Amino acid sequence: MPAYATNMRTKFPIIALILEIITIILFAVFVVYDDGEHGHHDSHDTHNNTDHKLEPMDLYPMFQDVHVMIFIGFGFLMTFLKRYGFSSVGINLLLAAFGLQWGLLMQGIWHLDGGKIKVSILKIINADFSTATVLISFGAVLGKTSPVQLLIMTILEITIFSVNEHLVVGLMKASDVGASMVIHAYGAYFGLAVARVLYRPGLRNGHENDGSVYHSDMFAMIGTIFLWMFWPSFNSAIAEPPLSYTQLTAVINTYLSLATCVLSAYAISSLVEHKGKLDMVHIQNATLAGGVAVGTCADMSIGPFGAMLIGFVAGIISTVGFKYLSPILASNLGIQDTCGVHNLHGLPGILGGLAGIVASPHALKISPHATMQAAALGSSLGFALVGGTITGLIMKLPFWGQPPDQNCFDDSIYWEVPNEEEENEESLAHGDQSKHKADV
Amino acid sequence: MPAYATNMRTKFPIIALILEIITIILFAVFVVYDDGEHGHHDSHDTHNNTDHKLEPMDLYPMFQDVHVMIFIGFGFLMTFLKRYGFSSVGINLLLAAFGLQWGLLMQGIWHLDGGKIKVSILKIINADFSTATVLISFGAVLGKTSPVQLLIMTILEITIFSVNEHLVVGLMKASDVGASMVIHAYGAYFGLAVARVLYRPGLRNGHENDGSVYHSDMFAMIGTIFLWMFWPSFNSAIAEPPLSYTQLTAVINTYLSLATCVLSAYAISSLVEHKGKLDMVHIQNATLAGGVAVGTCADMSIGPFGAMLIGFVAGIISTVGFKYLSPILASNLGIQDTCGVHNLHGLPGILGGLAGIVASPHALKISPHATMQAAALGSSLGFALVGGTITGLIMKLPFWGQPPDQNCFDDSIYWEVPNEEEENEESLAHGDQSKHKADV
Amino acid sequence: MPAYATNMRTKFPIIALILEIITIILFAVFVVYDDGEHGHHDSHDTHNNTDHKLEPMDLYPMFQDVHVMIFIGFGFLMTFLKRYGFSSVGINLLLAAFGLQWGLLMQGIWHLDGGKIKVSILKIINADFSTATVLISFGAVLGKTSPVQLLIMTILEITIFSVNEHLVVGLMKASDVGASMVIHAYGAYFGLAVARVLYRPGLRNGHENDGSVYHSDMFAMIGTIFLWMFWPSFNSAIAEPPLSYTQLTAVINTYLSLATCVLSAYAISSLVEHKGKLDMVHIQNATLAGGVAVGTCADMSIGPFGAMLIGFVAGIISTVGFKYLSPILASNLGIQDTCGVHNLHGLPGILGGLAGIVASPHALKISPHATMQAAALGSSLGFALVGGTITGLIMKLPFWGQPPDQNCFDDSIYWEVPNEEEENEESLAHGDQSKHKADV
């Protein structure tokens, strides 16, 4: 067992400050405001050949919906653990705040305009998207990694993501408007690869803090519901041409897929659980699988019926995955997937990619080639597995402050935590005197 | 006392899956995307005779506000019960997700276009609206019904709602932009009729879980505040013509009515409570009565002053209703209204209907007839009471898994619940070993 | 020690009802709907000389973002105290609901149009803004003041705010689009002046309830994240001309400043805290300082790089302020700042004002004069300190129901609170019988 150095007093501040200063310098060199005068190189940014000229702020409400998904949605979804809420929502904020800056740079270098990255609402939507990959992977290693390790993962994962995205969308011309492949499948398998490398035999038999309490499950539902509600925005925000029926199609498909998915997830949860009871883990996660799975073909003319079928199947495979597949992954393959991202993002992401291959003739704009859709899925999975493994190996280096097994899933290793637990015990025994913060 | 069969393992999954599969088939037959080419039969969908041509996505931000009210607002508002948070927010999600699909069908059949229901943003706003009736009624029977019973209620209540709505808005040409009558009064009295039929003598003297704890009241405030903030969107979303001063009027009236209602609700809460203290039940609910009551005449030119008067009165009658009327309904009429929907939706809904009769000459568009406004109110109440009674009788059939009295208001009958309670006791007594989920 | 009369049964209802009735009468006399036909006196309301004619509802999504910041953001941010959540979110609702009415009147009288205040979306955004000053000051005196005292503060603070705002923006023509000076610095120093006047020697050594527990810190993060996400809307909502690149610039600058601020706040929190741990107080507050500090020059062409520098510095000074300055203010100057508004709004507000002086040549519209920017900062601070002192003296009068020291930071003095604490103890000892509300 390695010696652990989890005191972050020097390590974390130095790394965070250096990263931020480098980022600011890169912004000073490369980033300017969008002024509406483009060189027309980026098909995502200009839509002048349509009836609907995009005004600078037209996509702003969509951006805010996506923003809520990233910071409230992902942040609170992960607060289900009983003693890891500070880290879930707090480190989520840290990673996303850094990730969006890094994502702006990494995505921007593929679309330079006069040597500059011109920041528009569309660009910051895409920057938010790039952070989603990291937050998905974060779910796989939640509770078992230090903030420093996670900052390293953020840089590497977003960098690799932007390469894969450029390859898939820019070069292969594959269609993936809701990013089932380039975000969800990529983020999930990247995170699973990292989790595999960071496998902890000491947690084979579980950990007392690796579970929820009543209130932490309630906090997690805040994340679930906000993700569920705003997913139509996620899947339609970058649909082209904006403000048109293509975007409407993406909204309707996602809305219906999600609604259907809720019914199948609830039904299967009750079917597979003890005495027919519902399991919060399924409700918090599998109800969202419909949003993931309909992503690739959200803007295709698959019909309301087609979208509902996708959602129906997604809810089933996600719930079944949680019940039967996750335990096998953990015990047989050494993949300890804290949040079950394989079931929420991995399997439904692959389902979405497959649906996109089948549905590609129904695309409303230039029809993507089914072969290219398949190649896009393969590329996303390949980059994820290779990139995640390499990233995991780097994260495994012994000086990043990784927590020892016994301190996993516990905020108090990286956070000042109010000492209510001791208070409660003491207050019952001796009254109520001890009120200062714990120096754990 | 009947034998209870609350094990949902076969019943719930089978019913949920069958309902969803039937719904998907109906969607396959009837539902297509809106393509902008209408037969112009539906005055809610086309506004081409105005200066403001509605773009496909123009109402999308409004839709998302309404969506948040349905899923976060109603869901968390009901989490005030100490041991019923999973059901409140979780079953709310289930019913609304199914209800919006059913509502799309039921409302759509009155507005077929070439034999098809064309889904637009306006249509999904109306579908969300239709679920609100169910969620209001859910509040009346919260804690005392099974998921299967509630799915049945969802189907019947939305079906009857769509008949009444078509009668009131389509045929009588009554005005009810914010749906004080067709949603709030209807949903409340429908739920009260169901609650009356399902009367439980065993709960006459209360139930230990029929109350809040500190944190559950905090969760409920999330629901309250989101409902309060986005109510102007609820009342203006379908105002005609969209994007014009009519919609602005509906926003301003609702904003001011709600603000005024807060002051009167707080004042009366303090006035009627022990030692002048504020009561969370009033704050969570009566502060919203202004949104309900101004609904019918939100788009009428009643003046900011008129809107404020309505809100002021609504806050008073709602708070007084909670304090003095609810106990009488429970003890004398056998109506056990868990959330007090009579005070939040029932009385203010009637107030809204009456205000609409008085204000009808001030409508900005074609002036509705005061007699028709009165008929609309009567129709909504009639459909609610008759429909609710019939629905209640069907729900009372003994094979829907209704919980026995002693398991009311308790998540653990239908949910896997983390066993923190036992943990706490044990951890104090013996350390902290038992960590697995309870098999209650 | 004065005799305290904290029973609100007559005092609070009478004052609240009288204030509301007076307000309704003033609305009846002065306030009408905006009908689009202006006398063109108010440069904030008319933008007809631009390409982008503002439709009545164009700013509505921005308004809703600001609305969420006011009611969820500020409300939940203050729920971090262990036994003061009802008051934090509940009194926040009360003050904001009254404040927005009063703000509409006070701001409106400077922009009468035919003797009337014409309510538009822009006007209700500004009304929401005016309440922000009160909610900031509320943070300084949180837990130590009665609802009646706070209603009085609301009236006086908004009245004085509207005078200063008219002076600064209307007469000096200073630029302060995100209101670093006229809202944040003003609100903070106003609140600190009130806190100074209301100094409580009895709380010098702290109070057992003046701190957080685990769940209250989680609730507070809901407020933090919503404020953080929607701050770009706050800083761009009234940028001119709307819907143009000026508004985009304000969004981008705020987005980047906030993202950068997160990194520096986390780094410094870890650097200054025991064993390098993160402190929730810093995370909940200092991560927002970037939004405050970039406010004045958000719509200026400071470059993405400039915005990030401002955010970076703001995160540092805010965290350092919490760690080192707040204890000094409390012990040496007698300023007991419950929420640390000096560090979140005061110092970053001044930083914003200073940045505005430096950046004023980069304004996109008519360039404001650097001298006027400096005068605007001075005016805001002056009005705050003088206004706050006078207001504090009025609030100190002994008949407003101010709580005694021992009941500070405790909801149960003004609220009916469920008696779970006693329950827990009893349930451990004797089972679980006592379930009724506490009559504390």
Side-chain angles (χ1 to χ4, degrees), chain A residues 287-366:
Chain A
T287 52
L288 301 169
V292 174
V294 85
T296 298
C297 50
D299 63 347
M300 300 179 188
S301 195
I302 55 176
F305 163 74
M308 293 168 85
L309 269 188
I310 291 172
F312 191 76
V313 174
I316 294 171
I317 64 168
S318 182
T319 311
V320 169
F322 272 102
K323 183 69 181 177
Y324 300 109
L325 197 53
S326 283
I328 295 173
L329 290 185
S331 59
N332 294 8
L333 300 182
I335 299 173
Q336 296 158 326
D337 177 6
T338 310
C339 294
V341 301
H342 187 237
N343 311 301
L344 170 48
H345 301 279
L347 292 174
I350 290 179
L351 175 64
L354 297 175
I357 297 170
V358 176
S360 57
H362 300 282
L364 291 178
K365 46 170 197 158
I366 309 123

Side-chain angles (χ1 to χ4, degrees), chain B residues 380-391:
Chain B
S380 300
L381 295 176
F383 272 96
L385 292 172
V386 175
T389 303
I390 294 168
T391 302

Side-chain angles (χ1 to χ4, degrees), chain A residues 158-303:
Chain A
I158 288 177
T159 305
I160 299 167
F161 158 78
S162 71
V163 174
N164 179 58
E165 189 201 29
H166 183 64
L167 185 66
V168 161
V169 178
L171 302 184
M172 295 182 187
K173 306 286 179 198
S175 188
D176 196 16
V177 70
S180 305
M181 300 183 289
V182 300
I183 292 178
H184 295 289
Y186 171 82
Y189 287 98
F190 192 104
L192 295 171
V194 172
R196 180 65 193 85
V197 175
L198 301 182
Y199 176 62
R200 288 170 180 267
L203 299 182
R204 245 179 328 210
N205 299 317
H207 186 290
E208 59 169 333
N209 284 333
D210 184 12
S212 66
V213 288
Y214 197 76
H215 287 112
S216 67
D217 271 329
M218 291 298 299
F219 280 114
M221 283 302 286
I222 297 173
T224 299
I225 303 283
F226 273 105
L227 285 170
W228 194 91
M229 293 186 302
F230 290 158
W231 215 293
S233 301
F234 193 96
N235 281 358
S236 68
I238 60 168
E240 311 182 50
L243 313 181
S244 75
Y245 289 99
T246 307
Q247 208 168 30
L248 177 66
T249 300
V251 164
I252 303 291
N253 282 339
T254 310
Y255 174 83
L256 290 173
S257 177
L258 284 163
T260 314
C261 176
V262 168
L263 272 285
S264 61
Y266 272 73
I268 304 303
S269 179
S270 169
L271 193 67
V272 300
E273 281 297 314
H274 185 69
K275 295 189 182 171
K277 294 186 182 186
L278 298 164
D279 188 323
M280 259 295 173
V281 173
H282 306 160
I283 303 313
Q284 284 159 2
N285 292 279
T287 52
L288 301 169
V292 174
V294 85
T296 298
C297 50
D299 63 347
M300 300 179 188
S301 195
I302 55 176

Side-chain angles (χ1 to χ4, degrees), chain A residues 44-107:
Chain A
H44 270 76
D45 262 17
T46 58
H47 304 284
N48 297 330
N49 57 342
T50 77
D51 292 359
H52 308 278
K53 175 74 172 56
L54 198 57
E55 298 289 343
M57 294 291 288
D58 275 347
L59 287 175
Y60 185 68
M62 285 270 174
F63 159 70
Q64 279 296 1
D65 290 353
V66 172
H67 220 39
V68 171
M69 294 177 73
I70 297 295
F71 290 91
I72 288 284
F74 281 104
F76 277 89
L77 183 61
M78 293 187 278
T79 62
F80 72 100
L81 290 173
K82 65 181 76 162
R83 298 300 296 174
Y84 212 61
F86 290 8
S87 301
S88 297
V89 71
I91 304 301
N92 187 83
L93 172 61
L94 174 70
L95 301 184
F98 179 66
L100 63 88
Q101 300 173 54
W102 194 251
L104 257 176
L105 291 171
M106 288 301 110
Q107 295 183 305

Side-chain angles (χ1 to χ4, degrees), chain B residues 409-426:
Chain B
F409 312 111
D410 190 345
D411 278 333
S412 67
I413 189 166
Y414 300 121
W415 295 82
E416 299 281 347
V417 174
N419 63 343
E420 73 205 279
E421 304 263 316
E422 285 113 294
E423 258 179 47
N424 281 352
E425 290 179 45
E426 288 188 30

Side-chain angles (χ1 to χ4, degrees), chain B residues 86-132:
Chain B
F86 290 8
S87 300
S88 296
V89 71
I91 304 301
N92 186 83
L93 171 62
L94 174 70
L95 301 184
F98 179 67
L100 62 87
Q101 301 174 55
W102 196 250
L104 256 176
L105 291 171
M106 290 300 109
Q107 295 184 303
I109 54 171
W110 302 104
H111 306 281
L112 292 178
D113 187 347
K116 296 291 181 185
I117 299 167
K118 294 191 167 182
V119 191
S120 62
I121 301 296
L122 192 71
K123 285 264 172 57
I124 63 177
I125 290 174
N126 276 313
D128 268 28
F129 279 174
S130 75
T131 72

